[in-house]
Amino acid sequence: MGKFSNVAHYQDFTELKKILSASAANTYDMDKIEKAYKFAEKAHGDQRRVSGIPYILHPVSVACIVAELGMDTDSVCGALLHDTVEDTGVTLEEVTKLFGADVAKLIDGVTKISKIPYSTREQQQAENIRKMLIAMADDIRVIIIKLADRLHNMRTMDCMPEQKRRDKSLENMQVFAPIAHRLGIKTIKDELEDRSLQYLDPIGYKEIEDDLLMTEEDRDKFIESIKNQILAKTEGIIPGVYISGRVKSINSIYRKTYMQGKTMDQIFDIFAVRVIVDTVSDCYNVLGVVHDIFKPIPNRFKDYISMPKPNMYQSLHTTVLDKNAIPFEIQIRTWEMHYTAEYGIAAHWKYKLGMGAGGKNNDKMEENIKKVKDMILDQLEAEDVTDIAKKEYQKRFYGK
Ligand code: MN
């Protein structure tokens, strides 16, 4: 599996400790986390995964994903313990006594979510998402642990029977990936979708994967040349300009090629050049430089810095032509925006940890997280209303 070959399927406690100690905030309560690990290890005893691997490696791997997102001590403990109440004799009372009410609430939330029956019928999709979001509205960390759980199950799905792989993949596409998207957690959204697509349409997936591999060298050269042109004009004027190229996820290319009937060379944003700088004003300075070097395509400029997307995403987007009239997209953002673009709402916990508990900024973060939650819920309500209006309209005018 080319694209994901660098992702470890199972991680152990040593690796979790490594991730936690590498965290910039590094405010983890290691004693509590180690206690949760030992407790989970004992609870799962000699249970094994379908693949034959000791069960405990699954919750530890989920905890690694949660830790990589920058989540806090209780989230990491919740991830380590997420299957104990459902799959072992452990009770919520025990967990509460040993790890506190917060951790117990997280585990209870994850267990409850796994009991929601997911229908893969399309008309049920919005309803399912809404149910899950309402379940999460109490504590978004529950959803983040659940997403990490789904992601790790997808990483280890190969030994499952085909029907189960397809069922889970469909659920991911219709319920979990959209939730990751709403929360702005792009890393999880992209991997969930690509892994699911691989089971839903293995041939289509491989075609795109091969195509990307074949054109990789040309793309790298192209990006290198763009990068040098921008650097030449910003050097000594705008400090700390970081430029990289990025290829879209296989699923997003798939959606454009198969569903919109475009061929690979018709999608000019298969890849984008990303420019990261230190300050917001430097973003606009870089934009000026970019539009000076390359001809911008009209109506393709978007300022998501002054108008962030509902999932908090911020960047400047512009599509320009190189000297051979090849169109490509440039995204310009600060490091902070970059972190939010990759980790979405999880980024807020990271900042929160870094700033220490109880501070003024901490309250502001809480407020932000609450605002995002309210926004997501409002949006869902609005979608439902649109949906109902649409149905009503069709019934009235088309009699169906
Ligand atoms: Mn699990």
Side-chain angles (χ1 to χ4, degrees):
M1 167 145 82
K3 188 168 180 208
F4 300 118
S5 53
N6 58 341
V7 178
H9 283 183
Y10 285 101
Q11 288 160 288
D12 62 18
F13 192 61
T14 319
E15 281 163 272
L16 176 61
K17 279 200 285 197
K18 239 187 265 164
I19 295 167
L20 293 172
S21 62
S23 150
N26 205 3
T27 50
Y28 287 104
D29 180 348
M30 279 314 295
D31 289 341
K32 188 172 183 179
I33 290 169
E34 187 140 6
K35 191 170 119 188
Y37 167 68
K38 295 227 163 99
F39 184 81
E41 192 188 30
K42 200 172 157 225
H44 287 294
D46 48 19
Q47 284 177 353
R48 293 196 170 253
R49 297 276 282 176
V50 174
S51 60
I53 278 159
Y55 197 90
I56 183 66
L57 289 177
H58 162 66
V60 173
S61 304
V62 174
C64 284
I65 296 169
V66 166
E68 271 162 359
L69 290 172
M71 299 303 291
D72 61 1
T73 295
D74 282 352
S75 307
V76 174
C77 291
L80 286 168
L81 298 164
H82 82 271
D83 278 330
T84 54
V85 172
E86 201 177 356
D87 296 344
T88 77
V90 169
T91 64
L92 273 176
E93 288 70 41
E94 270 175 90
V95 176
T96 312
K97 224 189 287 160
L98 286 166
F99 301 99
D102 269 10
V103 174
K105 226 173 67 187
L106 294 179
I107 298 166
D108 191 36
V110 175
T111 310
K112 276 186 184 140
I113 284 176
S114 65
K115 286 186 179 138
I116 297 175
Y118 307 113
S119 163
T120 45
R121 278 158 58 224
E122 215 174 320
Q123 58 265 43
Q124 291 270 312
Q125 179 194 355
E127 180 60 19
N128 281 330
I129 295 178
R130 202 162 58 99
K131 266 190 216 149
M132 291 203 45
L133 283 163
I134 287 163
M136 125 194 138
D138 194 35
D139 194 330
I140 278 190
R141 293 177 299 179
V142 168
I143 290 286
I144 293 176
I145 296 170
K146 188 65 205 173
L147 288 171
D149 180 39
R150 295 292 299 203
L151 180 58
H152 186 251
N153 284 336
M154 285 311 285
R155 285 183 183 171
T156 56
M157 194 55 78
D158 270 347
C159 51
M160 288 295 182
E162 162 140 30
Q163 191 55 49
K164 181 152 186 177
R165 293 193 290 211
R166 295 184 63 91
D167 289 349
K168 292 281 168 193
S169 296
L170 259 177
E171 284 173 9
N172 286 334
M173 289 294 203
Q174 298 189 333
V175 178
F176 292 96
I179 285 177
H181 176 65
R182 280 170 203 282
L183 298 179
I185 313 175
K186 189 173 160 45
T187 52
I188 289 192
K189 174 194 173 265
D190 283 354
E191 194 180 332
L192 266 184
E193 284 180 345
D194 280 5
R195 287 187 183 278
S196 302
L197 177 65
Q198 203 181 21
Y199 292 128
L200 292 171
D201 184 356
I203 295 167
Y205 180 94
K206 189 154 191 322
E207 242 173 62
I208 293 170
E209 197 184 35
D210 288 349
D211 211 291
L212 285 176
L213 262 173
M214 240 165 52
T215 49
E216 194 175 18
E217 219 185 300
D218 289 344
R219 216 168 30 237
D220 283 351
K221 268 190 212 149
F222 184 78
I223 288 165
E224 195 58 28
S225 126
I226 301 299
K227 185 173 160 178
N228 290 336
Q229 291 177 71
I230 297 173
L231 284 177
K233 292 265 186 175
T234 52
E235 218 165 1
I237 303 164
I238 304 169
V241 176
Y242 174 86
I243 303 173
S244 70
R246 86 172 237 277
V247 176
K248 286 207 159 200
S249 74
I250 292 188
N251 184 61
S252 57
I253 298 173
Y254 181 90
R255 275 179 29 206
K256 294 203 169 173
T257 51
Y258 286 73
M259 298 182 187
Q260 297 174 18
K262 291 179 178 162
T263 63
M264 286 274 280
D265 23 287
Q266 281 176 310
I267 313 168
F268 51 75
D269 49 357
I270 265 186
F271 66 95
V273 173
R274 184 174 288 156
V275 184
I276 308 176
V277 288
D278 293 334
T279 66
V280 172
S281 56
D282 281 346
C283 291
Y284 292 96
N285 292 337
V286 167
L287 180 74
V289 170
V290 161
H291 282 177
D292 189 36
I293 310 174
F294 309 104
K295 192 179 156 56
I297 295 180
N299 302 321
R300 292 281 307 186
F301 170 67
K302 289 187 197 91
D303 185 346
Y304 295 120
I305 290 181
S306 56
M307 301 253 278
K309 287 191 186 179
N311 64 8
M312 296 169 292
Y313 177 87
Q314 285 187 294
S315 276
L316 300 175
H317 287 193
T318 183
T319 303
V320 297
L321 301 170
D322 86 329
K323 58 179 187 299
N324 300 313
I326 299 175
F328 64 100
E329 187 180 67
I330 297 189
Q331 304 172 343
I332 307 163
R333 56 175 76 147
T334 65
W335 285 103
E336 195 179 333
M337 290 171 198
H338 181 56
Y339 203 88
T340 301
E342 296 288 303
Y343 301 114
I345 199 154
H348 288 247
W349 266 276
K350 186 100 171 176
Y351 297 141
K352 205 164 100 175
L353 286 177
M355 283 179 289
K360 224 178 173 178
N361 284 327
N362 209 12
D363 291 345
K364 203 159 168 248
M365 283 303 161
E366 295 285 4
E367 215 177 278
N368 272 346
I369 288 163
K370 196 183 171 304
K371 240 186 359 211
V372 171
K373 267 191 320 206
D374 290 347
M375 213 155 55
I376 294 165
L377 288 171
D378 279 356
Q379 223 180 309
L380 280 167
E381 294 298 338
E383 270 169 27
D384 281 355
V385 172
T386 317
D387 212 44
I388 292 162
K390 208 165 87 189
K391 277 188 198 128
E392 195 59 34
Y393 179 88
Q394 282 170 341
K395 211 159 78 192
R396 224 179 279 174
F397 296 98
Y398 298 102
K400 52 178 170 182

